[in-house]
Amino acid sequence: QEKRYDISDKLELIDEQLLALLKKAGRMADSLDFDLYIVGGFPRDLVLGQVNHDLDLVVEGDGIEFARELSKELGGHLDIYHEFGTAVVSLEDLKLDIATTRVEYYPQVASLPEVEHGSIQQDLFRRDFTINALAIQLNQASFGQLVDYFSGKKDLEKGLIRLLHNFSLYDDPTRIFRGFRFASRYDYNFEENTEDLFKHAIELDVIEKLSSDRLFNKLELGLKDRNPVRFISLLDEYNILSYFSPGIEWNHETEILENNVTKVLDWLHDLEIVTSFEEWVLYLIVLVHGLNETEIKDFANKFNINKNLFDRLMTSLKADKYIRILHDAEDNSAIYYLLQGLAIEDMLFLLIKDFSLEEEIKLYLEKLQWTDIEVSGEEIIALGYSPGPIFREVLDEVRKAKLNGEVETYEEEKEYLEQLLAERESE
Ligand code: ATP
């Protein structure tokens, strides 16, 4: 049953340029005699008071024809995907995804759906959750009306994730992960029947139907979303972690570590040093850190983990050892020689496990890692030596002295170098 709401107060949140664009699109649809809606994340987030820049438009009529006309009017680049009946209009700083309203049938569990043109109601009904099945009409006469067939607005207000129909998770098991993502992102709960449907589908092993690539991608999306810790705890609550590795355990210790990730990221942010890494990887390292070597290798094989990520997971096996070494480090050079072999993610994982190492790691990141000596082989040659293994040895000694603050200037480096060479002569 269709309900329409006036959401003028929310429309005010949209910046003028975007609003003008949506109105223009609405008038274009009018001229073609099509109904036009914006659907998906945009209406959901707008009701929540946020402007989402994913613009999914659906046309009751002919989406491709509409896209052609719109791109003529707006300029920009048009891509048409005939096989899907969709199009993308790319403007300078945003893009519009355009589709014809459609209805989907799933001939088998987790198979690709068969698609036909349908009404806006059918198009909304094929979606995952009521909160994602809202539309805002863009045609001039109804511009900005929120169209709600499935009480999505009420569920948004109550903070409920509700499936649209009972077979939804069999049609597409990835919705399980989408559900966890939205529940954790917005801190929502599952509506009672939906919760049962989740439990049943999971008991019936629908997740087994997903390829490992897709499975890993769903995990990655969850870890990249706004509340990875709750996302993981939902995976645990619904007994899904074992699909990733039978050895993964979600226990009190893991939960503490997962919560430490934010603290460490904030700490790093305050340091204002330039580093580049993906934050979600830290959550992944914590998630799998209890696995043994064989289990990590199996995990990496199953999910086609790239070399760099694999190395991070393997390093986590040695974290306790590294933590001990750092605690025992007697001088800066000992810190340097340990940390220099680690990636930033590895160091942050050490901190996640033991934040009392913050001074050591800060010192390394801010200072030690940039320590360079000015003397080189040239100075040694100038002193009459010919190149050999001794060069590296004495230069290393100079570097150590520099790291420990025993020498600072070029002159001091050089003096120390001469002293080292003289000592070796006399040995
Ligand atoms: P996000 O804020 O994460 O981008 P979104 O809801 O916009 O969330 P998209 O993946 O861009 O996510 O999907 C857009 C819309 O398409 C959704 O709001 C939903 O209506 C529909 N949708 C996406 N994936 C599915 C799915 N697996 N099953 C059913 N509907 C889906």
Side-chain angles (χ1 to χ4, degrees), residues 68-107:
R68 278 210 181 93
E69 293 303 316
L70 189 68
S71 80
K72 263 191 232 161
E73 162 103 9
L74 300 175
H77 184 78
L78 174 69
D79 287 300
I80 295 182
Y81 304 94
H82 284 286
E83 65 275 40
F84 302 108
T86 60
V88 178
V89 176
S90 308
L91 303 173
E92 215 165 89
D93 47 3
L94 55 84
K95 69 181 184 51
L96 300 159
D97 282 293
I98 298 166
T100 308
T101 50
R102 57 189 195 260
V103 54
E104 278 174 0
Y105 306 97
Y106 287 82

Side-chain angles (χ1 to χ4, degrees), residues 40-42 44-45 52 54 56 106 126-128 132-133 172 174-175 178 181-182 185-186 225:
F42 186 91
R44 176 196 67 218
D45 287 350
N52 184 322
D54 258 357
D56 289 320
Y106 287 82
R126 75 184 171 82
R127 288 162 192 277
D128 48 5
N132 287 337
D172 178 0
T174 66
R175 291 172 183 160
R178 289 179 59 85
R181 206 147 54 75
F182 294 115
R185 183 194 297 175
Y186 301 114
D225 217 290

